[in-house]
Amino acid sequence: MSRRRTLGTKKKVALLVSAAAVAGGGAFMAANASNASPATANAQTRSAQDSTVCQGLATAVGNNQRFIDDQRANPDAQSEARIANREAVIAEIGRQQTASGCTAGESAAGGSAQDSQASQPPQAGQGADQGADQGGGQEAGAGAGQAGEQAGGAAPSGQQVCNGSTVTLSGEAGAPAASSNQFPVGTRLKVTNLDNGKSTTVEVNSVSGSCALLNNAAFEQVREEGKFLIRRALIEKVG
């Protein structure tokens, strides 16, 4: 009888030791999982090369930064206000990058070779952004008009323009509109996303660093869900 009690006690001790080992192992695994969480979260941050969403947002940053650089290189009376506006736009895009799991502040070149060869300031930079940033359009029409006549602005109505250009968003709020470094303020452009067949017709109201850049409202009308870049776009001058 005494021996049975002794054996029973040994078994109880063994069971308790096993339970403690299992509990300790579980705690160790939980601790490891907790410590690994930050690394996993960091690993989810993507660059423009990893995601179309990130590339579109990075391109939008690049387009706005290019416009700012042009304004600083060729300043006029309105450049300071335009630069402040575009810096606020870049900050908003940065928040969108963070929310989308992209590298905040990442910038990428946008448009096409045609964009880089298009007219650059001083013509494009002389008052052409006032329509969007200051609520006016007279000075904007004068500056962008000179740039447009040297590039795609001279194209007849109904003609396809900006061949080879990708389309992204400017990050600017307001009613659907576009900005361009080739067309004067008041030009109407029809932008069609060939990947989903959606199109929008908008009016150019300011200058940007690309042939055609859509503001947030216009881009929403043609975008594919979760994407901030239109790779296959048909852009037509309609007025």
Side-chain angles (χ1 to χ4, degrees):
M1 187 69 70
S2 174
R3 183 177 179 182
R4 282 182 193 155
R5 278 196 291 271
T6 302
L7 290 174
T9 300
K10 289 180 179 180
K11 288 181 179 180
K12 290 178 181 179
V13 171
L15 289 172
L16 289 172
V17 170
S18 298
V22 170
F28 177 77
M29 291 177 66
N32 281 346
S34 176
N35 291 333
S37 295
T40 301
N42 291 335
Q44 293 176 349
T45 300
R46 300 168 295 177
S47 69
Q49 297 178 344
D50 302 327
S51 163
T52 301
V53 172
C54 297
Q55 184 178 1
L57 291 169
T59 300
V61 172
N63 286 333
N64 283 285
Q65 187 59 57
R66 182 165 52 179
F67 178 84
I68 290 174
D69 292 342
D70 288 341
Q71 289 292 303
R72 286 176 174 160
N74 301 277
D76 61 29
Q78 299 298 327
S79 290
E80 186 175 347
R82 296 191 201 104
I83 289 171
N85 174 270
R86 294 307 175 97
E87 287 177 338
V89 168
I90 289 175
E92 176 59 30
I93 296 173
R95 287 188 282 272
Q96 293 181 27
Q97 288 175 314
T98 300
S100 300
C102 306
T103 303
E106 183 179 21
S107 173
S112 66
Q114 182 184 15
D115 293 341
S116 62
Q117 293 169 1
S119 300
Q120 297 295 329
Q123 290 91 350
Q126 291 178 349
D129 208 30
Q130 188 179 23
D133 299 337
Q134 302 295 328
Q138 296 178 350
E139 185 183 0
Q146 295 177 23
E149 287 303 317
Q150 296 179 11
S157 180
Q159 180 174 319
Q160 181 178 347
V161 294
C162 306
N163 295 336
S165 292
T166 57
V167 176
T168 187
L169 76 168
S170 66
E172 294 180 300
S179 55
S180 174
N181 65 356
Q182 295 191 31
F183 300 99
V185 168
T187 303
R188 291 177 61 79
L189 300 176
K190 180 180 180 181
V191 179
T192 302
N193 184 344
L194 297 178
D195 289 326
N196 60 14
K198 294 181 179 180
S199 64
T200 182
T201 299
V202 292
E203 187 172 293
V204 174
N205 67 3
S206 65
V207 170
S208 68
S210 296
C211 181
L213 196 63
L214 300 178
N215 70 356
N216 291 353
F219 193 82
E220 284 296 326
Q221 294 178 343
V222 294
R223 68 178 291 203
E224 290 184 88
E225 185 65 30
K227 294 185 178 180
F228 292 91
L229 178 68
I230 302 173
R231 294 183 181 276
R232 298 177 61 244
L234 172 63
I235 307 172
E236 301 167 274
K237 180 182 176 184
V238 295

